[in-house]
Coordinates of all heavy atoms in Angstrom, one line a residue:
G209 N 138.3 -28.3 11.2 CA 137.3 -28.7 10.2 C 136.7 -27.5 9.6 O 137.0 -26.4 9.9
I210 N 135.9 -27.7 8.6 CA 135.2 -26.9 7.8 C 133.9 -26.7 8.4 O 133.1 -27.6 8.7 CB 135.3 -27.3 6.3 CG1 134.7 -26.2 5.4 CG2 134.4 -28.5 6.1 CD1 134.9 -26.4 4.0
D211 N 133.5 -25.4 8.5 CA 132.1 -25.1 9.0 C 131.1 -25.2 7.9 O 131.3 -25.2 6.6 CB 132.1 -23.8 9.7 CG 132.0 -22.5 8.8 OD1 132.1 -22.6 7.5 OD2 131.7 -21.5 9.4
G212 N 129.9 -25.2 8.2 CA 128.6 -25.5 7.3 C 128.7 -24.4 6.2 O 128.4 -24.6 5.0
R213 N 128.7 -23.1 6.6 CA 128.7 -21.9 5.6 C 129.8 -22.1 4.6 O 129.6 -21.7 3.4 CB 128.6 -20.6 6.4 CG 127.3 -20.3 7.1 CD 127.2 -19.0 7.5 NE 126.0 -18.6 8.1 CZ 125.3 -17.7 7.8 NH1 125.5 -16.8 6.9 NH2 124.0 -17.5 8.4
E214 N 131.0 -22.4 5.1 CA 132.2 -22.4 4.1 C 131.9 -23.6 3.1 O 132.1 -23.5 2.0 CB 133.4 -22.6 5.0 CG 134.6 -22.7 4.1 CD 136.0 -22.9 4.9 OE1 135.9 -22.7 6.1 OE2 136.9 -23.1 4.3
L215 N 131.4 -24.8 3.7 CA 131.2 -25.9 2.8 C 130.2 -25.6 1.7 O 130.3 -25.8 0.6 CB 130.7 -27.0 3.6 CG 130.3 -28.4 2.7 CD1 131.6 -28.8 2.0 CD2 129.8 -29.4 3.7
V216 N 129.0 -24.9 2.2 CA 127.9 -24.4 1.3 C 128.6 -23.5 0.1 O 128.3 -23.7 -1.0 CB 126.8 -23.7 2.0 CG1 125.9 -22.9 1.1 CG2 126.1 -24.8 2.8
G217 N 129.4 -22.6 0.6 CA 130.1 -21.6 -0.3 C 131.0 -22.4 -1.3 O 131.1 -21.8 -2.5
R218 N 131.5 -23.3 -1.1 CA 132.3 -24.2 -1.9 C 131.6 -25.1 -3.0 O 131.8 -25.3 -4.0 CB 133.3 -25.2 -1.2 CG 134.3 -24.5 -0.4 CD 135.2 -25.5 0.2 NE 136.4 -24.9 1.0 CZ 137.3 -25.6 1.6 NH1 137.3 -26.8 1.7 NH2 138.2 -25.0 2.3
L219 N 130.2 -25.4 -2.5 CA 129.5 -26.3 -3.4 C 128.5 -25.6 -4.2 O 128.2 -26.2 -5.3 CB 128.8 -27.3 -2.4 CG 129.6 -28.5 -1.7 CD1 128.7 -29.1 -0.6 CD2 130.4 -29.2 -2.5
W220 N 128.0 -24.5 -3.8 CA 127.1 -23.8 -4.4 C 127.4 -22.3 -4.6 O 128.0 -21.7 -3.7 CB 125.6 -23.8 -3.8 CG 125.0 -25.2 -3.9 CD1 124.5 -26.0 -4.9 CD2 125.0 -26.1 -2.7 NE1 124.1 -27.1 -4.5 CE2 124.4 -27.4 -3.2 CE3 125.4 -26.1 -1.5 CZ2 124.2 -28.5 -2.4 CZ3 125.3 -27.2 -0.6 CH2 124.6 -28.3 -1.2
D221 N 126.9 -21.7 -5.7 CA 127.1 -20.1 -5.9 C 125.8 -19.5 -5.2 O 124.8 -19.2 -6.1 CB 127.3 -19.9 -7.4 CG 127.6 -18.4 -7.6 OD1 127.5 -17.6 -6.7 OD2 127.8 -18.2 -8.8
I222 N 125.7 -19.5 -4.1 CA 124.6 -18.9 -3.3 C 124.3 -17.5 -3.8 O 123.2 -17.1 -3.9 CB 124.8 -19.0 -1.8 CG1 124.8 -20.4 -1.4 CG2 123.7 -18.3 -1.1 CD1 123.6 -21.3 -1.8
P223 N 125.3 -16.5 -3.9 CA 125.0 -15.2 -4.3 C 124.2 -15.2 -5.8 O 123.3 -14.5 -5.8 CB 126.3 -14.5 -4.3 CG 127.2 -15.3 -3.4 CD 126.8 -16.8 -3.5
A224 N 124.8 -15.9 -6.7 CA 124.0 -16.0 -8.0 C 122.5 -16.7 -7.7 O 121.7 -16.2 -8.4 CB 124.9 -16.9 -9.0
S225 N 122.4 -17.6 -6.9 CA 121.1 -18.3 -6.7 C 120.1 -17.2 -6.1 O 119.0 -17.0 -6.5 CB 121.2 -19.4 -5.8 OG 120.1 -20.0 -5.5
E226 N 120.7 -16.4 -5.2 CA 119.9 -15.4 -4.5 C 119.5 -14.3 -5.6 O 118.4 -13.8 -5.5 CB 120.7 -14.6 -3.3 CG 120.9 -15.7 -2.2 CD 119.7 -16.1 -1.5 OE1 119.0 -15.3 -1.0 OE2 119.6 -17.3 -1.3
V227 N 120.4 -13.9 -6.5 CA 120.0 -13.0 -7.5 C 118.8 -13.6 -8.4 O 117.9 -12.8 -8.6 CB 121.3 -12.6 -8.3 CG1 120.9 -11.9 -9.7 CG2 122.3 -11.9 -7.5
T228 N 119.0 -14.8 -8.7 CA 118.0 -15.4 -9.5 C 116.5 -15.4 -8.7 O 115.5 -15.0 -9.3 CB 118.3 -16.8 -9.9 OG1 119.4 -16.8 -10.7 CG2 117.2 -17.5 -10.7
A229 N 116.6 -15.8 -7.5 CA 115.4 -15.8 -6.7 C 114.9 -14.4 -6.6 O 113.6 -14.2 -6.6 CB 115.7 -16.3 -5.3
R230 N 115.6 -13.5 -6.4 CA 115.2 -12.0 -6.3 C 114.5 -11.6 -7.4 O 113.5 -10.9 -7.6 CB 116.4 -11.0 -5.8 CG 115.9 -9.7 -5.5 CD 117.1 -8.8 -4.9 NE 117.3 -9.4 -3.5 CZ 118.4 -10.0 -3.1 NH1 119.4 -10.2 -4.1 NH2 118.7 -10.3 -1.8
R231 N 115.1 -11.9 -8.7 CA 114.5 -11.5 -9.9 C 113.1 -12.1 -10.0 O 112.2 -11.5 -10.6 CB 115.5 -11.8 -11.0 CG 116.7 -11.0 -11.2 CD 117.6 -11.3 -12.3 NE 118.7 -10.4 -12.4 CZ 119.9 -10.7 -12.9 NH1 120.1 -11.8 -13.6 NH2 120.8 -9.8 -12.9
L232 N 113.0 -13.4 -9.8 CA 111.8 -14.3 -9.9 C 110.8 -13.5 -9.0 O 109.6 -13.4 -9.3 CB 111.9 -15.6 -9.6 CG 112.7 -16.3 -10.8 CD1 113.2 -17.8 -10.2 CD2 111.9 -16.5 -12.0
L233 N 111.0 -13.3 -7.8 CA 110.2 -12.5 -6.9 C 109.8 -11.1 -7.5 O 108.5 -10.8 -7.3 CB 110.9 -12.2 -5.5 CG 111.0 -13.4 -4.7 CD1 111.9 -13.2 -3.4 CD2 109.6 -13.8 -4.0
E234 N 110.6 -10.4 -8.1 CA 110.4 -9.1 -8.7 C 109.4 -9.4 -9.8 O 108.3 -8.7 -9.9 CB 111.6 -8.4 -9.2 CG 112.3 -7.9 -8.1 CD 113.7 -7.4 -8.5 OE1 114.1 -7.4 -9.8 OE2 114.5 -7.0 -7.5
A235 N 109.5 -10.5 -10.6 CA 108.6 -10.8 -11.7 C 107.2 -11.1 -11.1 O 106.3 -10.7 -11.7 CB 109.2 -12.0 -12.5
I236 N 107.2 -11.9 -10.1 CA 106.0 -12.2 -9.5 C 105.1 -10.9 -8.9 O 104.0 -10.8 -9.1 CB 106.0 -13.2 -8.2 CG1 106.5 -14.6 -8.9 CG2 104.8 -13.3 -7.4 CD1 106.8 -15.6 -7.8
D237 N 105.9 -10.0 -8.4 CA 105.4 -8.8 -7.9 C 104.9 -7.9 -9.1 O 103.7 -7.4 -8.9 CB 106.5 -7.9 -7.2 CG 106.8 -8.4 -5.9 OD1 106.0 -9.3 -5.4 OD2 107.8 -7.9 -5.3
V238 N 105.5 -7.9 -10.1 CA 105.1 -7.1 -11.4 C 103.8 -7.9 -11.9 O 102.8 -7.2 -12.3 CB 106.2 -7.1 -12.6 CG1 105.6 -6.7 -13.8 CG2 107.4 -6.1 -12.1
L239 N 103.8 -9.3 -11.9 CA 102.5 -9.9 -12.3 C 101.4 -9.5 -11.4 O 100.2 -9.4 -11.9 CB 102.6 -11.5 -12.4 CG 103.5 -11.9 -13.5 CD1 103.6 -13.5 -13.2 CD2 102.7 -11.7 -14.8
G240 N 101.6 -9.5 -10.1 CA 100.4 -9.1 -9.3 C 100.0 -7.8 -9.6 O 98.7 -7.6 -9.6
A241 N 100.7 -6.9 -9.9 CA 100.3 -5.5 -10.2 C 99.5 -5.4 -11.5 O 98.4 -4.9 -11.6 CB 101.5 -4.5 -10.3
V242 N 100.0 -6.2 -12.5 CA 99.4 -6.4 -13.9 C 97.9 -7.0 -13.7 O 97.1 -6.7 -14.1 CB 100.3 -7.1 -14.8 CG1 99.5 -7.4 -16.1 CG2 101.5 -6.3 -15.2
A243 N 98.0 -8.1 -13.0 CA 96.8 -8.8 -12.8 C 95.7 -8.0 -12.1 O 94.6 -8.3 -12.3 CB 97.1 -10.2 -12.0
A244 N 96.1 -7.2 -11.1 CA 95.1 -6.4 -10.5 C 94.4 -5.5 -11.3 O 93.3 -5.2 -11.0 CB 95.9 -5.6 -9.2
G245 N 95.0 -5.0 -12.4 CA 94.5 -4.1 -13.2 C 93.9 -4.6 -14.5 O 93.1 -3.8 -15.2
D246 N 94.2 -5.7 -15.0 CA 93.8 -6.2 -16.2 C 93.0 -7.5 -16.1 O 92.8 -8.0 -14.9 CB 95.0 -6.7 -17.0 CG 95.9 -5.5 -17.5 OD1 95.4 -4.5 -17.6 OD2 97.1 -5.9 -17.9
E247 N 92.3 -7.8 -17.1 CA 91.6 -9.0 -17.3 C 92.5 -10.1 -17.1 O 93.6 -10.1 -17.7 CB 90.9 -9.0 -18.7 CG 89.8 -10.2 -18.8 CD 88.6 -9.9 -18.0 OE1 88.2 -8.9 -17.5 OE2 88.0 -11.1 -17.6
P248 N 92.2 -11.1 -16.4 CA 93.2 -12.2 -16.1 C 93.8 -12.9 -17.4 O 94.9 -13.1 -17.4 CB 92.4 -13.3 -15.4 CG 91.4 -12.5 -14.6 CD 90.9 -11.3 -15.5
V249 N 93.0 -12.8 -18.4 CA 93.5 -13.5 -19.7 C 94.7 -12.8 -20.2 O 95.6 -13.4 -20.7 CB 92.3 -13.4 -20.9 CG1 92.8 -13.9 -22.1 CG2 91.2 -14.3 -20.3
E250 N 94.9 -11.5 -19.9 CA 95.9 -10.6 -20.3 C 97.2 -11.1 -19.7 O 98.3 -10.8 -20.2 CB 95.7 -9.2 -20.0 CG 94.5 -8.6 -20.8 CD 94.6 -8.7 -22.4 OE1 95.7 -8.5 -22.8 OE2 93.6 -9.0 -23.1
W251 N 97.2 -11.7 -18.4 CA 98.5 -12.1 -17.8 C 98.6 -13.5 -17.8 O 99.6 -14.0 -17.2 CB 98.5 -11.4 -16.4 CG 97.5 -11.9 -15.5 CD1 96.5 -11.2 -15.2 CD2 97.5 -12.9 -14.5 NE1 95.6 -11.9 -14.2 CE2 96.3 -13.0 -13.7 CE3 98.5 -13.9 -14.3 CZ2 96.0 -13.8 -12.8 CZ3 98.2 -14.8 -13.2 CH2 97.0 -14.7 -12.5
F252 N 97.8 -14.3 -18.5 CA 98.0 -15.8 -18.6 C 99.4 -16.2 -19.0 O 100.1 -17.0 -18.5 CB 97.0 -16.5 -19.4 CG 95.6 -16.7 -18.6 CD1 94.5 -17.2 -19.4 CD2 95.4 -16.2 -17.3 CE1 93.2 -17.4 -18.7 CE2 94.2 -16.4 -16.8 CZ 93.1 -17.1 -17.4
A253 N 99.7 -15.6 -20.3 CA 101.0 -16.0 -20.8 C 102.3 -15.6 -19.9 O 103.1 -16.5 -19.6 CB 101.1 -15.5 -22.2
P254 N 102.3 -14.3 -19.4 CA 103.5 -14.0 -18.7 C 103.4 -14.8 -17.3 O 104.5 -15.2 -16.7 CB 103.2 -12.5 -18.3 CG 102.2 -12.0 -19.3 CD 101.5 -13.2 -19.7
A255 N 102.2 -15.1 -16.7 CA 102.1 -15.9 -15.5 C 102.6 -17.2 -15.7 O 103.4 -17.8 -14.9 CB 100.8 -15.9 -15.0
F256 N 102.4 -17.9 -16.9 CA 102.8 -19.0 -17.1 C 104.4 -19.2 -17.3 O 105.0 -20.1 -16.8 CB 102.2 -19.6 -18.4 CG 102.7 -21.0 -18.8 CD1 102.1 -22.2 -18.2 CD2 103.6 -21.2 -19.8 CE1 102.4 -23.5 -18.5 CE2 104.0 -22.5 -20.1 CZ 103.4 -23.6 -19.5
E257 N 104.9 -18.2 -18.0 CA 106.4 -18.2 -18.2 C 107.1 -18.0 -16.8 O 108.1 -18.7 -16.6 CB 106.7 -17.0 -19.0 CG 106.3 -17.2 -20.5 CD 106.5 -16.0 -21.3 OE1 107.2 -15.1 -21.0 OE2 106.0 -15.9 -22.5
V258 N 106.5 -17.0 -16.0 CA 107.2 -16.9 -14.5 C 107.1 -18.1 -13.8 O 108.0 -18.3 -13.1 CB 106.5 -15.7 -13.8 CG1 107.0 -15.5 -12.4 CG2 107.0 -14.4 -14.7
S259 N 105.9 -18.7 -13.8 CA 105.7 -20.0 -13.0 C 106.7 -21.0 -13.5 O 107.2 -21.7 -12.8 CB 104.2 -20.6 -13.4 OG 103.4 -19.5 -12.7
A260 N 106.9 -21.1 -14.9 CA 107.8 -22.2 -15.4 C 109.2 -21.9 -14.9 O 110.0 -22.8 -14.4 CB 107.7 -22.3 -17.0
A261 N 109.6 -20.6 -14.8 CA 110.9 -20.3 -14.4 C 111.1 -20.5 -13.0 O 112.1 -20.9 -12.5 CB 111.2 -18.7 -14.7
C262 N 110.0 -20.3 -12.1 CA 110.0 -20.5 -10.7 C 110.3 -22.0 -10.5 O 111.1 -22.4 -9.6 CB 108.9 -20.1 -10.1 SG 108.7 -18.4 -9.8
V263 N 109.4 -22.8 -11.1 CA 109.6 -24.3 -11.0 C 111.0 -24.7 -11.3 O 111.6 -25.5 -10.5 CB 108.5 -25.1 -11.8 CG1 108.9 -26.5 -11.9 CG2 107.1 -24.7 -11.3
S264 N 111.6 -24.3 -12.4 CA 112.8 -24.7 -12.9 C 113.8 -24.3 -11.8 O 114.7 -25.2 -11.5 CB 113.2 -23.9 -14.2 OG 114.6 -24.3 -14.6
Y265 N 113.8 -23.1 -11.3 CA 114.9 -22.6 -10.3 C 114.6 -23.4 -9.0 O 115.5 -23.9 -8.4 CB 114.6 -21.1 -9.9 CG 115.3 -20.7 -8.6 CD1 116.5 -20.3 -8.7 CD2 114.7 -20.6 -7.5 CE1 117.3 -20.0 -7.7 CE2 115.3 -20.2 -6.3 CZ 116.6 -19.9 -6.4 OH 117.3 -19.5 -5.4
L266 N 113.4 -23.7 -8.6 CA 113.3 -24.3 -7.1 C 113.5 -25.9 -7.4 O 113.8 -26.5 -6.2 CB 111.7 -24.1 -6.9 CG 111.3 -22.8 -6.3 CD1 109.8 -22.6 -6.2 CD2 112.1 -22.4 -5.2
R267 N 113.5 -26.4 -8.5 CA 113.9 -27.8 -8.6 C 115.3 -28.0 -8.5 O 115.8 -29.1 -8.2 CB 113.4 -28.4 -10.1 CG 111.8 -28.6 -10.0 CD 111.5 -29.3 -11.1 NE 111.9 -30.7 -11.0 CZ 111.8 -31.6 -11.8 NH1 111.2 -31.5 -12.9 NH2 112.2 -32.9 -11.6
T268 N 116.2 -26.9 -8.9 CA 117.5 -27.1 -8.8 C 118.2 -26.3 -7.5 O 119.4 -26.6 -7.2 CB 118.2 -26.5 -10.1 OG1 117.9 -25.3 -10.2 CG2 117.8 -27.4 -11.3
E269 N 117.5 -25.5 -7.0 CA 117.9 -24.8 -5.6 C 118.2 -25.7 -4.6 O 117.3 -26.7 -4.4 CB 116.8 -23.8 -5.4 CG 117.2 -22.7 -4.3 CD 116.9 -23.3 -2.9 OE1 115.9 -23.9 -2.8 OE2 117.7 -22.8 -2.0
P270 N 119.3 -25.7 -3.9 CA 119.5 -26.7 -2.9 C 118.8 -26.7 -1.7 O 118.8 -27.8 -0.8 CB 121.0 -26.4 -2.5 CG 121.2 -24.9 -2.9 CD 120.2 -24.7 -4.1
A271 N 117.8 -25.8 -1.4 CA 117.0 -25.9 -0.3 C 117.7 -26.0 1.1 O 117.5 -27.0 1.9 CB 115.8 -27.0 -0.5
L272 N 118.6 -25.1 1.3 CA 119.5 -25.3 2.4 C 118.9 -24.6 3.7 O 118.1 -23.8 3.5 CB 120.9 -24.6 2.2 CG 121.6 -25.1 1.1 CD1 122.7 -24.0 0.7 CD2 122.3 -26.4 1.4
P273 N 119.2 -25.2 4.8 CA 118.7 -24.6 6.1 C 119.1 -23.1 6.1 O 120.1 -22.7 5.7 CB 119.4 -25.5 7.2 CG 119.9 -26.7 6.5 CD 120.1 -26.4 5.2
V274 N 118.1 -22.3 6.8 CA 118.2 -21.0 6.9 C 119.5 -20.6 7.6 O 120.1 -19.6 7.3 CB 117.0 -20.4 7.7 CG1 117.2 -18.9 7.9 CG2 115.7 -20.6 7.0
D275 N 120.1 -21.4 8.6 CA 121.3 -20.9 9.2 C 122.6 -21.2 8.4 O 123.6 -20.7 8.8 CB 121.3 -21.9 10.5 CG 121.5 -23.4 10.3 OD1 120.8 -23.7 9.4 OD2 122.2 -24.0 11.1
L276 N 122.4 -21.6 7.2 CA 123.5 -21.9 6.3 C 123.6 -20.9 5.1 O 124.5 -20.7 4.5 CB 123.5 -23.3 5.8 CG 123.9 -24.4 6.7 CD1 123.8 -25.8 5.9 CD2 125.1 -24.3 7.4
V277 N 122.5 -20.1 5.0 CA 122.5 -19.1 4.0 C 122.1 -17.7 4.6 O 121.3 -17.7 5.5 CB 121.4 -19.3 2.8 CG1 122.0 -20.6 2.0 CG2 120.2 -19.7 3.2
E278 N 122.8 -16.7 4.2 CA 122.5 -15.4 4.8 C 121.2 -14.8 4.5 O 120.5 -14.3 5.3 CB 123.6 -14.5 4.2 CG 124.1 -13.5 5.2 CD 125.4 -12.7 4.8 OE1 126.3 -13.3 4.7 OE2 125.2 -11.5 4.4
T279 N 120.7 -14.9 3.3 CA 119.4 -14.4 2.9 C 118.5 -15.5 2.2 O 118.8 -15.8 1.0 CB 119.5 -13.2 2.0 OG1 120.3 -13.4 1.0 CG2 120.1 -11.9 2.7
P280 N 117.8 -16.2 2.8 CA 117.2 -17.2 2.2 C 116.0 -16.9 1.3 O 114.8 -17.1 1.5 CB 116.5 -18.0 3.4 CG 116.4 -17.0 4.5 CD 117.4 -16.0 4.2
M281 N 116.3 -16.3 0.2 CA 115.4 -15.9 -0.9 C 114.4 -16.9 -1.3 O 113.3 -16.7 -1.7 CB 116.1 -15.1 -1.9 CG 116.8 -13.8 -1.6 SD 115.8 -12.5 -0.8 CE 114.8 -12.2 -2.3
A282 N 115.1 -18.1 -1.5 CA 114.3 -19.2 -2.0 C 113.0 -19.6 -1.2 O 112.0 -20.0 -1.6 CB 115.2 -20.5 -2.2
T283 N 113.2 -19.3 0.1 CA 112.1 -19.6 1.1 C 111.0 -18.7 0.7 O 109.8 -19.1 0.7 CB 112.6 -19.5 2.5 OG1 113.5 -20.4 2.7 CG2 111.4 -19.7 3.4
E284 N 111.4 -17.3 0.5 CA 110.3 -16.3 0.2 C 109.7 -16.6 -1.1 O 108.4 -16.5 -1.4 CB 110.9 -15.0 0.2 CG 110.0 -13.8 0.0 CD 110.6 -12.5 0.1 OE1 111.8 -12.3 0.7 OE2 109.9 -11.5 -0.4
L285 N 110.6 -17.1 -2.0 CA 110.0 -17.3 -3.5 C 109.1 -18.5 -3.4 O 108.0 -18.5 -4.1 CB 111.2 -17.8 -4.4 CG 110.9 -18.2 -5.8 CD1 110.2 -17.0 -6.5 CD2 112.1 -18.5 -6.6
R286 N 109.3 -19.5 -2.7 CA 108.3 -20.6 -2.7 C 106.9 -20.1 -2.2 O 105.9 -20.6 -2.8 CB 108.9 -21.7 -1.6 CG 109.9 -22.6 -2.2 CD 110.2 -23.8 -1.1 NE 111.3 -24.6 -1.6 CZ 112.6 -24.2 -1.5 NH1 112.9 -23.0 -0.9 NH2 113.6 -24.9 -2.0
A287 N 106.9 -19.4 -1.2 CA 105.6 -18.8 -0.8 C 105.0 -17.9 -1.8 O 103.7 -18.0 -2.0 CB 105.8 -18.0 0.6
S288 N 105.8 -17.1 -2.4 CA 105.2 -16.1 -3.5 C 104.8 -17.0 -4.7 O 103.7 -16.8 -5.3 CB 106.3 -15.2 -4.0 OG 106.5 -14.2 -3.0
Y289 N 105.4 -18.1 -5.0 CA 105.1 -19.0 -6.2 C 103.8 -19.7 -5.9 O 103.0 -19.7 -6.7 CB 106.2 -20.0 -6.5 CG 105.8 -21.0 -7.3 CD1 105.5 -20.8 -8.7 CD2 105.5 -22.3 -6.9 CE1 105.0 -21.8 -9.6 CE2 105.0 -23.4 -7.7 CZ 104.7 -23.0 -9.0 OH 104.2 -24.0 -9.9
R290 N 103.8 -20.2 -4.5 CA 102.4 -20.9 -4.2 C 101.2 -19.9 -4.4 O 100.2 -20.3 -5.0 CB 102.5 -21.4 -2.9 CG 103.3 -22.7 -2.7 CD 103.1 -23.3 -1.4 NE 103.8 -22.7 -0.3 CZ 105.0 -22.9 0.0 NH1 105.7 -23.8 -0.7 NH2 105.6 -22.2 1.0
A291 N 101.3 -18.7 -4.0 CA 100.3 -17.8 -4.1 C 100.1 -17.4 -5.6 O 98.9 -17.4 -6.0 CB 100.7 -16.3 -3.4
L292 N 101.1 -17.2 -6.4 CA 100.9 -17.0 -7.8 C 100.2 -18.2 -8.5 O 99.2 -18.0 -9.3 CB 102.2 -16.8 -8.5 CG 102.2 -16.8 -10.0 CD1 101.5 -15.4 -10.5 CD2 103.6 -16.6 -10.6
N293 N 100.5 -19.3 -8.2 CA 100.1 -20.7 -8.7 C 98.6 -20.7 -8.4 O 97.7 -21.2 -9.2 CB 100.8 -21.8 -8.3 CG 100.3 -23.2 -9.0 OD1 100.2 -23.1 -10.1 ND2 100.4 -24.1 -8.1
A294 N 98.2 -20.4 -7.1 CA 96.8 -20.5 -6.6 C 96.0 -19.5 -7.6 O 94.9 -19.8 -8.1 CB 96.6 -20.1 -5.2
R295 N 96.6 -18.2 -7.6 CA 95.8 -17.1 -8.4 C 95.7 -17.6 -9.8 O 94.6 -17.3 -10.5 CB 96.4 -16.0 -8.3 CG 95.9 -14.6 -8.8 CD 96.6 -13.5 -8.4 NE 95.7 -12.3 -8.7 CZ 96.0 -11.2 -8.5 NH1 97.3 -10.9 -8.0 NH2 95.3 -10.1 -8.7
F296 N 96.7 -18.1 -10.4 CA 96.6 -18.6 -11.8 C 95.7 -19.7 -12.0 O 94.9 -19.6 -13.0 CB 98.0 -19.0 -12.3 CG 98.3 -19.4 -13.6 CD1 98.1 -18.4 -14.6 CD2 98.5 -20.7 -14.0 CE1 98.3 -18.8 -16.0 CE2 98.7 -21.0 -15.3 CZ 98.7 -20.0 -16.3
R297 N 95.5 -20.7 -11.2 CA 94.6 -21.8 -11.2 C 93.2 -21.2 -11.1 O 92.3 -21.6 -11.9 CB 94.9 -22.8 -10.2 CG 96.1 -23.6 -10.4 CD 96.2 -24.5 -9.1 NE 97.3 -25.4 -9.4 CZ 97.1 -26.8 -9.5 NH1 96.0 -27.3 -9.2 NH2 98.2 -27.6 -9.7
T298 N 92.9 -20.2 -10.2 CA 91.6 -19.7 -10.0 C 91.2 -19.1 -11.4 O 90.0 -19.1 -11.9 CB 91.6 -18.9 -8.8 OG1 91.9 -19.5 -7.7 CG2 90.2 -18.0 -8.7
A299 N 92.1 -18.2 -11.8 CA 91.8 -17.5 -13.1 C 91.6 -18.5 -14.3 O 90.6 -18.2 -15.0 CB 92.9 -16.5 -13.4
L300 N 92.4 -19.4 -14.4 CA 92.1 -20.3 -15.5 C 90.7 -21.0 -15.3 O 90.0 -21.2 -16.3 CB 93.2 -21.6 -15.5 CG 94.6 -21.1 -16.2 CD1 95.6 -22.1 -15.9 CD2 94.3 -20.7 -17.6
A301 N 90.3 -21.4 -14.1 CA 89.2 -22.1 -13.8 C 87.9 -21.2 -14.2 O 86.9 -21.7 -14.7 CB 89.1 -22.5 -12.4
E302 N 88.2 -19.9 -14.0 CA 87.1 -19.0 -14.4 C 86.9 -18.7 -15.9 O 85.9 -18.4 -16.3 CB 87.3 -17.7 -13.7 CG 87.2 -17.6 -12.2 CD 87.6 -16.4 -11.4 OE1 88.0 -15.5 -12.2 OE2 87.5 -16.4 -10.2
H303 N 88.0 -19.1 -16.6 CA 87.9 -18.7 -18.1 C 88.0 -19.9 -19.0 O 87.9 -19.8 -20.2 CB 89.2 -17.8 -18.5 CG 88.8 -16.5 -17.8 ND1 89.3 -16.1 -16.4 CD2 88.3 -15.3 -18.4 CE1 88.9 -14.8 -16.3 NE2 88.3 -14.3 -17.5
L304 N 88.3 -21.1 -18.5 CA 88.3 -22.3 -19.2 C 87.2 -23.2 -18.8 O 86.8 -23.3 -17.6 CB 89.6 -22.9 -19.1 CG 90.8 -22.1 -19.6 CD1 92.1 -23.1 -19.4 CD2 90.8 -21.9 -21.1
P305 N 86.7 -23.9 -19.9 CA 85.5 -25.0 -19.5 C 86.3 -26.0 -18.7 O 87.5 -26.3 -18.8 CB 85.1 -25.4 -20.8 CG 86.2 -25.1 -21.7 CD 87.0 -23.9 -21.3
P306 N 85.5 -26.8 -17.9 CA 86.0 -27.9 -17.0 C 86.5 -28.9 -18.1 O 86.1 -29.1 -19.2 CB 84.8 -28.3 -16.3 CG 83.8 -27.3 -16.3 CD 84.1 -26.4 -17.6
V307 N 87.6 -29.7 -17.6 CA 88.1 -30.6 -18.4 C 87.1 -31.7 -18.9 O 86.1 -32.1 -18.0 CB 89.3 -31.5 -17.7 CG1 89.8 -32.7 -18.6 CG2 90.4 -30.5 -17.3
G308 N 87.1 -32.0 -20.1 CA 86.0 -33.1 -20.6 C 84.8 -32.4 -21.2 O 83.9 -33.0 -21.7
R309 N 84.6 -31.1 -20.9 CA 83.5 -30.5 -21.4 C 83.8 -29.2 -22.2 O 84.3 -28.3 -21.8 CB 82.6 -29.8 -20.1 CG 82.0 -30.9 -19.3 CD 81.4 -30.4 -18.0 NE 80.4 -29.3 -18.3 CZ 79.9 -28.5 -17.4 NH1 80.4 -28.6 -16.1 NH2 79.1 -27.7 -17.6
V310 N 83.5 -29.4 -23.5 CA 83.9 -28.4 -24.5 C 82.6 -27.6 -24.9 O 81.5 -28.2 -25.1 CB 84.5 -28.9 -25.8 CG1 84.8 -27.9 -26.7 CG2 85.8 -29.6 -25.3
P311 N 82.6 -26.3 -24.9 CA 81.3 -25.6 -25.1 C 80.9 -25.9 -26.6 O 81.5 -26.1 -27.4 CB 81.7 -24.2 -24.9 CG 83.2 -24.0 -24.8 CD 83.6 -25.5 -24.6

């Protein structure tokens, strides 16, 4: 029979997926450095773009068990994306009026 890792290798391009996840993680790290030094408004657009790219990736990533992939970058990406999303929401809430209330 075929083992799990071999089957995964036949069905998905895991190395390419890992490269994409690693690039997204690097982009999140860069955003963190930018956000730490700038006014949050300065990183809204890049944060939105990186968030959209993360969501797009995570919606199509196969979410395989850790024992079937050598380096589960997607797991790390999910955690980093959640932290970015929380920071982004907080920054937006501080700079935008509440929904339904226009100044």
Side-chain angles (χ1 to χ4, degrees):
I210 191 169
D211 79 353
R213 283 184 182 240
E214 185 179 344
L215 180 60
V216 165
R218 289 182 183 182
L219 295 174
W220 293 284
D221 186 353
I222 297 300
S225 180
E226 296 293 306
V227 166
T228 301
R230 188 169 287 110
R231 286 182 180 156
L232 290 168
L233 280 165
E234 289 169 3
I236 290 172
D237 287 345
V238 168
L239 277 174
V242 169
D246 287 342
E247 187 68 24
V249 173
E250 299 298 320
W251 62 271
F252 281 173
F256 182 81
E257 290 175 12
V258 171
S259 292
C262 288
V263 169
S264 177
Y265 170 81
L266 291 170
R267 290 193 67 184
T268 59
E269 190 270 329
L272 298 165
V274 173
D275 61 327
L276 292 179
V277 291
E278 213 167 291
T279 54
M281 296 299 295
T283 302
E284 187 177 341
L285 179 61
R286 278 186 189 82
S288 291
Y289 167 72
R290 280 193 288 274
L292 172 65
N293 190 33
R295 187 173 195 177
F296 186 65
R297 286 174 173 241
T298 299
L300 278 176
E302 291 173 358
H303 289 83
L304 295 177
V307 175
R309 293 176 50 197
V310 179

